[in-house]
Amino acid sequence: MPPRWHENRLKAKLGIDYPVIQGPLGGLSSQKLTAAVSNFGGLGSFGAHGLSPTAIALSKYPLHNDLTWRDCHGTVGE
């Protein structure tokens, strides 16, 4: 029997529940949307297009506050 759509190596490697990846849309994404996607089992991404390096570094704080039970991997500055 072939594997089901939700049972794949990408999901296992990323540690997510669903193979849903939010595209980091610069200017259209927010920390709340990124956290919501992550909290519901997908891979949330924050679009930092057009932000200064300082603004990117500061954007991690609201993101960390909105995450519930998932770790924030790959955050700038850590």
Side-chain angles (χ1 to χ4, degrees):
M1 176 184 269
R4 295 194 226 173
W5 67 270
H6 58 80
E7 296 171 358
N8 58 60
R9 292 178 302 191
L10 177 67
K11 186 183 87 142
K13 184 131 180 121
L14 294 176
I16 57 179
D17 295 331
Y18 303 101
V20 173
I21 300 173
Q22 172 204 357
L25 303 169
L28 298 175
S29 65
S30 68
Q31 293 95 333
K32 288 198 178 292
L33 177 60
T34 301
V37 171
S38 297
N39 288 336
F40 282 100
L43 177 65
S45 303
F46 178 68
H49 173 73
L51 296 179
S52 70
T54 302
I56 292 170
L58 293 174
S59 70
K60 71 180 180 181
Y61 296 110
L63 182 59
H64 279 280
N65 292 337
D66 289 333
L67 288 171
T68 55
W69 55 277
R70 294 195 175 270
D71 293 330
C72 184
H73 299 289
T75 302
V76 173
E78 291 186 354

